[in-house]
Amino acid sequence: MNDSLPAVSIIMPAYKRIDYLKEAIESALAQTFTDFEIVVCDDSAEPKIADLCQSYEDSRIIYRANPQNLGIAMNNLSGFQAARADLLTKLDDDDRWLPDFLEELVPEMLSNPNICLSFCDHWIIDAAGDRMVTKTEEQTTRFGRSGIDRGLVKQPQKLIFNKSIPLASSAVFRKSAIDWSAYSEKVGGAYDFFLSSCLVSSGMDVFYVPERLTEYRIHGGSGTSTRALQNCLETLFVSEKVYQNPFFDEIASEYRQLCAYNSKRTGNESLKQGKVLSALYYYSRSLKYQLLG
């Protein structure tokens, strides 16, 4: 491997999905901006994944197998910690990038050290890799990206409330801008929500590119479809952390509403699973947030 440090570290958590992983790796290798390393964090220690990484014979690809399963949050953390660059970006093993993704986001950050985060819009694709145009348009609008102009974001606090930042697939961020001591396995699948809030609350600048430069895949094996209650708990944990952060006091009422919503959502999912007492607890928590308003 070249001893010089790369400009960007691409963190690619993997878990068994060989076919999708191949597409993800090749979309990274096809980038027009080439000064990067790819850190593949294999949480399944699958020999076929190791073989795939080695088959490219590219020294920029670093394969790391966890000796035991770490779960979503900590597997990502293992990659972030292993990264040699200060600029990090995530590419899940079932997503893809367009060739100019890094070229559009990285140079702005290299020239302006006060930018802690650059992100873009993205396409939604299905299991076969086909673009879902209507769903893509709906999500761009739903998450508030349609109302953001290219350049520095004027009110970055609202990005967290609107869930505008697709950090898991469509962002580049500074490792040094995050207090990693606050990161824990409790953030789970909401690690992107958590890291986005950390970056925004750093007080540094956020840069947006409205073009759709990545492809986020929705399919039957997606984590969001298999661990609904756990996702609710993790999202509630992070939303309460954001609400308690003084940086967001200016729009605290909006984040209080978010906590109320996520508490109710957790209660609903608990009830679906027959956990009546847990459901009542989260419903009462939701009511408490509403009364505070």
Side-chain angles (χ1 to χ4, degrees), residues 22 29-30 35 37 97 106 115 179 183 185 215 218 224 243 272 284 287:
K22 186 174 188 294
L29 293 176
D35 187 6
E37 66 178 0
W97 287 343
V106 171
I115 296 176
D179 176 7
Y183 190 100
E185 62 182 347
E215 296 176 319
I218 295 178
T224 51
Y243 175 60
K272 284 181 186 177
S284 65
L287 181 60

PDB file of all heavy atoms in Angstrom, residues 22 29-30 35 37 97 106 115 179 183 185 215 218 224 243 272 284 287:
ATOM      1  N   LYS A  22     -20.340  -6.219  -4.660  1.00  0.00           N
ATOM      2  CA  LYS A  22     -19.546  -6.081  -5.886  1.00  0.00           C
ATOM      3  C   LYS A  22     -19.911  -4.790  -6.617  1.00  0.00           C
ATOM      4  O   LYS A  22     -19.040  -4.039  -7.067  1.00  0.00           O
ATOM      5  CB  LYS A  22     -19.781  -7.298  -6.786  1.00  0.00           C
ATOM      6  CG  LYS A  22     -18.896  -7.354  -8.033  1.00  0.00           C
ATOM      7  CD  LYS A  22     -19.116  -8.666  -8.768  1.00  0.00           C
ATOM      8  CE  LYS A  22     -18.116  -8.845  -9.904  1.00  0.00           C
ATOM      9  NZ  LYS A  22     -18.307  -7.856 -10.982  1.00  0.00           N
ATOM     10  N   LEU A  29     -14.719   2.366  -7.119  1.00  0.00           N
ATOM     11  CA  LEU A  29     -13.510   2.335  -7.942  1.00  0.00           C
ATOM     12  C   LEU A  29     -13.666   3.153  -9.228  1.00  0.00           C
ATOM     13  O   LEU A  29     -12.669   3.587  -9.815  1.00  0.00           O
ATOM     14  CB  LEU A  29     -13.153   0.889  -8.297  1.00  0.00           C
ATOM     15  CG  LEU A  29     -12.711   0.000  -7.127  1.00  0.00           C
ATOM     16  CD1 LEU A  29     -12.481  -1.430  -7.606  1.00  0.00           C
ATOM     17  CD2 LEU A  29     -11.460   0.543  -6.456  1.00  0.00           C
ATOM     18  N   ALA A  30     -14.903   3.389  -9.642  1.00  0.00           N
ATOM     19  CA  ALA A  30     -15.167   4.143 -10.871  1.00  0.00           C
ATOM     20  C   ALA A  30     -15.190   5.657 -10.643  1.00  0.00           C
ATOM     21  O   ALA A  30     -15.447   6.425 -11.582  1.00  0.00           O
ATOM     22  CB  ALA A  30     -16.494   3.701 -11.481  1.00  0.00           C
ATOM     23  N   ASP A  35      -8.241   9.780  -5.165  1.00  0.00           N
ATOM     24  CA  ASP A  35      -7.354   9.762  -3.996  1.00  0.00           C
ATOM     25  C   ASP A  35      -8.124   9.293  -2.761  1.00  0.00           C
ATOM     26  O   ASP A  35      -8.526  10.078  -1.917  1.00  0.00           O
ATOM     27  CB  ASP A  35      -6.769  11.157  -3.772  1.00  0.00           C
ATOM     28  CG  ASP A  35      -5.703  11.173  -2.680  1.00  0.00           C
ATOM     29  OD1 ASP A  35      -5.340  10.080  -2.190  1.00  0.00           O
ATOM     30  OD2 ASP A  35      -5.246  12.277  -2.310  1.00  0.00           O
ATOM     31  N   GLU A  37      -9.106   5.606  -0.043  1.00  0.00           N
ATOM     32  CA  GLU A  37      -8.977   4.211   0.360  1.00  0.00           C
ATOM     33  C   GLU A  37     -10.387   3.693   0.634  1.00  0.00           C
ATOM     34  O   GLU A  37     -11.289   4.473   0.965  1.00  0.00           O
ATOM     35  CB  GLU A  37      -8.111   4.072   1.620  1.00  0.00           C
ATOM     36  CG  GLU A  37      -8.725   4.704   2.870  1.00  0.00           C
ATOM     37  CD  GLU A  37      -7.861   4.506   4.115  1.00  0.00           C
ATOM     38  OE1 GLU A  37      -6.795   3.891   4.022  1.00  0.00           O
ATOM     39  OE2 GLU A  37      -8.285   4.989   5.197  1.00  0.00           O
ATOM     40  N   TRP A  97     -22.699   4.528  -6.069  1.00  0.00           N
ATOM     41  CA  TRP A  97     -22.405   5.935  -6.358  1.00  0.00           C
ATOM     42  C   TRP A  97     -22.321   6.161  -7.858  1.00  0.00           C
ATOM     43  O   TRP A  97     -21.874   5.284  -8.607  1.00  0.00           O
ATOM     44  CB  TRP A  97     -21.061   6.340  -5.759  1.00  0.00           C
ATOM     45  CG  TRP A  97     -21.043   6.498  -4.277  1.00  0.00           C
ATOM     46  CD1 TRP A  97     -22.106   6.641  -3.437  1.00  0.00           C
ATOM     47  CD2 TRP A  97     -19.862   6.530  -3.449  1.00  0.00           C
ATOM     48  NE1 TRP A  97     -21.667   6.775  -2.135  1.00  0.00           N
ATOM     49  CE2 TRP A  97     -20.301   6.710  -2.111  1.00  0.00           C
ATOM     50  CE3 TRP A  97     -18.496   6.440  -3.707  1.00  0.00           C
ATOM     51  CZ2 TRP A  97     -19.413   6.795  -1.045  1.00  0.00           C
ATOM     52  CZ3 TRP A  97     -17.609   6.529  -2.661  1.00  0.00           C
ATOM     53  CH2 TRP A  97     -18.062   6.698  -1.332  1.00  0.00           C
ATOM     54  N   VAL A 106     -15.907  16.476  -2.477  1.00  0.00           N
ATOM     55  CA  VAL A 106     -14.633  16.535  -1.752  1.00  0.00           C
ATOM     56  C   VAL A 106     -13.835  17.819  -1.961  1.00  0.00           C
ATOM     57  O   VAL A 106     -13.352  18.414  -0.982  1.00  0.00           O
ATOM     58  CB  VAL A 106     -13.771  15.300  -2.088  1.00  0.00           C
ATOM     59  CG1 VAL A 106     -12.364  15.441  -1.521  1.00  0.00           C
ATOM     60  CG2 VAL A 106     -14.431  14.040  -1.549  1.00  0.00           C
ATOM     61  N   ILE A 115     -15.755  23.628   6.530  1.00  0.00           N
ATOM     62  CA  ILE A 115     -16.895  22.785   6.156  1.00  0.00           C
ATOM     63  C   ILE A 115     -16.701  21.416   6.802  1.00  0.00           C
ATOM     64  O   ILE A 115     -15.709  20.733   6.540  1.00  0.00           O
ATOM     65  CB  ILE A 115     -17.010  22.631   4.628  1.00  0.00           C
ATOM     66  CG1 ILE A 115     -17.296  23.991   3.970  1.00  0.00           C
ATOM     67  CG2 ILE A 115     -18.120  21.634   4.270  1.00  0.00           C
ATOM     68  CD1 ILE A 115     -17.328  23.937   2.454  1.00  0.00           C
ATOM     69  N   ASP A 179     -17.206  14.449  18.296  1.00  0.00           N
ATOM     70  CA  ASP A 179     -16.783  13.957  19.610  1.00  0.00           C
ATOM     71  C   ASP A 179     -17.156  12.475  19.671  1.00  0.00           C
ATOM     72  O   ASP A 179     -18.287  12.121  19.998  1.00  0.00           O
ATOM     73  CB  ASP A 179     -17.481  14.742  20.728  1.00  0.00           C
ATOM     74  CG  ASP A 179     -17.140  14.204  22.115  1.00  0.00           C
ATOM     75  OD1 ASP A 179     -16.271  13.311  22.213  1.00  0.00           O
ATOM     76  OD2 ASP A 179     -17.761  14.657  23.103  1.00  0.00           O
ATOM     77  N   TYR A 183     -20.345   8.496  21.079  1.00  0.00           N
ATOM     78  CA  TYR A 183     -20.879   7.441  20.214  1.00  0.00           C
ATOM     79  C   TYR A 183     -20.944   6.127  20.993  1.00  0.00           C
ATOM     80  O   TYR A 183     -20.001   5.775  21.702  1.00  0.00           O
ATOM     81  CB  TYR A 183     -19.965   7.291  19.006  1.00  0.00           C
ATOM     82  CG  TYR A 183     -20.477   6.412  17.892  1.00  0.00           C
ATOM     83  CD1 TYR A 183     -21.061   6.968  16.767  1.00  0.00           C
ATOM     84  CD2 TYR A 183     -20.345   5.026  17.940  1.00  0.00           C
ATOM     85  CE1 TYR A 183     -21.504   6.177  15.712  1.00  0.00           C
ATOM     86  CE2 TYR A 183     -20.784   4.223  16.902  1.00  0.00           C
ATOM     87  CZ  TYR A 183     -21.369   4.810  15.791  1.00  0.00           C
ATOM     88  OH  TYR A 183     -21.810   4.013  14.757  1.00  0.00           O
ATOM     89  N   GLU A 185     -23.101   1.925  21.114  1.00  0.00           N
ATOM     90  CA  GLU A 185     -23.921   0.961  20.381  1.00  0.00           C
ATOM     91  C   GLU A 185     -25.404   1.274  20.480  1.00  0.00           C
ATOM     92  O   GLU A 185     -26.213   0.776  19.692  1.00  0.00           O
ATOM     93  CB  GLU A 185     -23.648  -0.453  20.880  1.00  0.00           C
ATOM     94  CG  GLU A 185     -23.993  -0.700  22.339  1.00  0.00           C
ATOM     95  CD  GLU A 185     -23.642  -2.115  22.770  1.00  0.00           C
ATOM     96  OE1 GLU A 185     -23.363  -2.940  21.881  1.00  0.00           O
ATOM     97  OE2 GLU A 185     -23.636  -2.384  23.974  1.00  0.00           O
ATOM     98  N   GLU A 215     -27.060   6.270  -5.325  1.00  0.00           N
ATOM     99  CA  GLU A 215     -28.263   5.448  -5.462  1.00  0.00           C
ATOM    100  C   GLU A 215     -28.446   4.608  -4.195  1.00  0.00           C
ATOM    101  O   GLU A 215     -27.577   3.802  -3.850  1.00  0.00           O
ATOM    102  CB  GLU A 215     -28.151   4.545  -6.687  1.00  0.00           C
ATOM    103  CG  GLU A 215     -28.092   5.338  -7.992  1.00  0.00           C
ATOM    104  CD  GLU A 215     -27.875   4.463  -9.209  1.00  0.00           C
ATOM    105  OE1 GLU A 215     -27.052   3.516  -9.123  1.00  0.00           O
ATOM    106  OE2 GLU A 215     -28.504   4.723 -10.245  1.00  0.00           O
ATOM    107  N   ILE A 218     -33.523   0.009  -1.990  1.00  0.00           N
ATOM    108  CA  ILE A 218     -34.572  -0.535  -1.125  1.00  0.00           C
ATOM    109  C   ILE A 218     -34.877  -1.951  -1.596  1.00  0.00           C
ATOM    110  O   ILE A 218     -35.155  -2.178  -2.774  1.00  0.00           O
ATOM    111  CB  ILE A 218     -35.851   0.318  -1.184  1.00  0.00           C
ATOM    112  CG1 ILE A 218     -35.597   1.707  -0.603  1.00  0.00           C
ATOM    113  CG2 ILE A 218     -36.990  -0.359  -0.422  1.00  0.00           C
ATOM    114  CD1 ILE A 218     -36.811   2.634  -0.663  1.00  0.00           C
ATOM    115  N   THR A 224     -34.003  -1.931   7.566  1.00  0.00           N
ATOM    116  CA  THR A 224     -35.173  -1.207   8.047  1.00  0.00           C
ATOM    117  C   THR A 224     -36.435  -2.056   7.997  1.00  0.00           C
ATOM    118  O   THR A 224     -37.416  -1.727   8.642  1.00  0.00           O
ATOM    119  CB  THR A 224     -35.388   0.050   7.197  1.00  0.00           C
ATOM    120  OG1 THR A 224     -35.392  -0.299   5.815  1.00  0.00           O
ATOM    121  CG2 THR A 224     -34.306   1.083   7.456  1.00  0.00           C
ATOM    122  N   TYR A 243     -32.565  16.682  21.304  1.00  0.00           N
ATOM    123  CA  TYR A 243     -33.420  17.605  22.053  1.00  0.00           C
ATOM    124  C   TYR A 243     -32.686  18.189  23.261  1.00  0.00           C
ATOM    125  O   TYR A 243     -32.879  19.359  23.618  1.00  0.00           O
ATOM    126  CB  TYR A 243     -34.690  16.875  22.498  1.00  0.00           C
ATOM    127  CG  TYR A 243     -35.604  17.687  23.379  1.00  0.00           C
ATOM    128  CD1 TYR A 243     -36.146  18.881  22.935  1.00  0.00           C
ATOM    129  CD2 TYR A 243     -35.925  17.249  24.664  1.00  0.00           C
ATOM    130  CE1 TYR A 243     -36.988  19.636  23.750  1.00  0.00           C
ATOM    131  CE2 TYR A 243     -36.764  17.986  25.479  1.00  0.00           C
ATOM    132  CZ  TYR A 243     -37.289  19.183  25.007  1.00  0.00           C
ATOM    133  OH  TYR A 243     -38.116  19.927  25.824  1.00  0.00           O
ATOM    134  N   LYS A 272     -47.657  -3.761  18.611  1.00  0.00           N
ATOM    135  CA  LYS A 272     -47.728  -4.750  17.535  1.00  0.00           C
ATOM    136  C   LYS A 272     -47.082  -6.066  17.957  1.00  0.00           C
ATOM    137  O   LYS A 272     -47.500  -7.137  17.533  1.00  0.00           O
ATOM    138  CB  LYS A 272     -47.004  -4.223  16.291  1.00  0.00           C
ATOM    139  CG  LYS A 272     -47.761  -3.183  15.505  1.00  0.00           C
ATOM    140  CD  LYS A 272     -46.931  -2.787  14.285  1.00  0.00           C
ATOM    141  CE  LYS A 272     -47.570  -1.643  13.528  1.00  0.00           C
ATOM    142  NZ  LYS A 272     -46.717  -1.211  12.387  1.00  0.00           N
ATOM    143  N   SER A 284     -47.060   7.231  27.286  1.00  0.00           N
ATOM    144  CA  SER A 284     -47.033   8.244  28.346  1.00  0.00           C
ATOM    145  C   SER A 284     -45.858   9.201  28.137  1.00  0.00           C
ATOM    146  O   SER A 284     -45.959  10.404  28.417  1.00  0.00           O
ATOM    147  CB  SER A 284     -46.939   7.582  29.729  1.00  0.00           C
ATOM    148  OG  SER A 284     -45.709   6.895  29.895  1.00  0.00           O
ATOM    149  N   LEU A 287     -46.904  11.643  25.509  1.00  0.00           N
ATOM    150  CA  LEU A 287     -47.817  12.636  26.078  1.00  0.00           C
ATOM    151  C   LEU A 287     -47.058  13.681  26.888  1.00  0.00           C
ATOM    152  O   LEU A 287     -47.370  14.878  26.834  1.00  0.00           O
ATOM    153  CB  LEU A 287     -48.859  11.933  26.951  1.00  0.00           C
ATOM    154  CG  LEU A 287     -49.916  12.827  27.606  1.00  0.00           C
ATOM    155  CD1 LEU A 287     -50.720  13.572  26.531  1.00  0.00           C
ATOM    156  CD2 LEU A 287     -50.841  11.990  28.492  1.00  0.00           C
TER     157      LEU A 287
END
